[in-house]
Amino acid sequence: MIKFVMIAIGGATGAILRYTVAGWAQKLTESSFPAGTFTVNILGCLFIGILGALFAGPHLIREEYRFAILVGLLGAFTTFSTYAWETLSLVNDGQLTYAMGNILLSNVAGLIAVWIGYRLGQTLFGV
């Protein structure tokens, strides 16, 4: 139960950080390019890489804290970081076919799902 509480606390913090950092980055660019989303995705990847290495190495932390940070905080900050971390893990494990499949399938299926969802929403809501 404590693991879920810690993930929830990390998730709330990550969501607030995402909103704050993305808004700040978007405001800095004054552009229609989604710089805020790009910024949180890249920062999330950087942080999950650093912390993933730290937690796997000599600085082990309690499981509930690791989940609070990696799943809760960074998961709410950006799921892109988890996608990137899992893909890197596949590469590190020598599973290049799965890594490439994850990249291809996640991007193509994600875009198709957004398109289907958008069209479905248009149909359902008459937009």
Side-chain angles (χ1 to χ4, degrees):
M1 181 58 138
I2 188 70
K3 189 187 310 182
F4 291 110
V5 171
M6 296 297 287
I7 291 170
I9 292 168
T13 305
I16 292 167
L17 282 172
R18 177 186 182 85
Y19 177 80
T20 303
V21 172
W24 172 77
Q26 192 64 47
K27 192 179 288 188
L28 278 179
T29 64
E30 297 180 3
S31 168
S32 60
F33 179 79
T37 300
F38 177 80
T39 300
V40 296
N41 284 340
I42 300 310
L43 285 174
C45 288
L46 177 67
F47 294 145
I48 204 167
I50 292 168
L51 295 172
L54 178 70
F55 298 160
H59 302 288
L60 300 176
I61 64 169
R62 292 176 51 168
E63 182 181 52
E64 59 268 21
Y65 296 135
R66 183 172 53 85
F67 276 101
I69 294 168
L70 297 180
V71 176
L73 183 102
L74 290 177
F77 188 65
T78 171
T79 57
F80 188 81
S81 60
T82 302
Y83 155 76
W85 177 257
E86 290 173 345
T87 303
L88 178 65
S89 295
L90 289 169
V91 171
N92 287 341
D93 291 344
Q95 299 182 41
L96 298 179
T97 302
Y98 282 152
M100 294 307 296
N102 191 37
I103 292 167
L104 182 64
L105 288 172
S106 293
N107 286 285
V108 173
L111 289 170
I112 291 170
V114 167
W115 181 79
I116 290 170
Y118 185 79
R119 295 296 183 213
L120 183 59
Q122 284 181 316
T123 302
L124 292 173
F125 306 118
V127 179

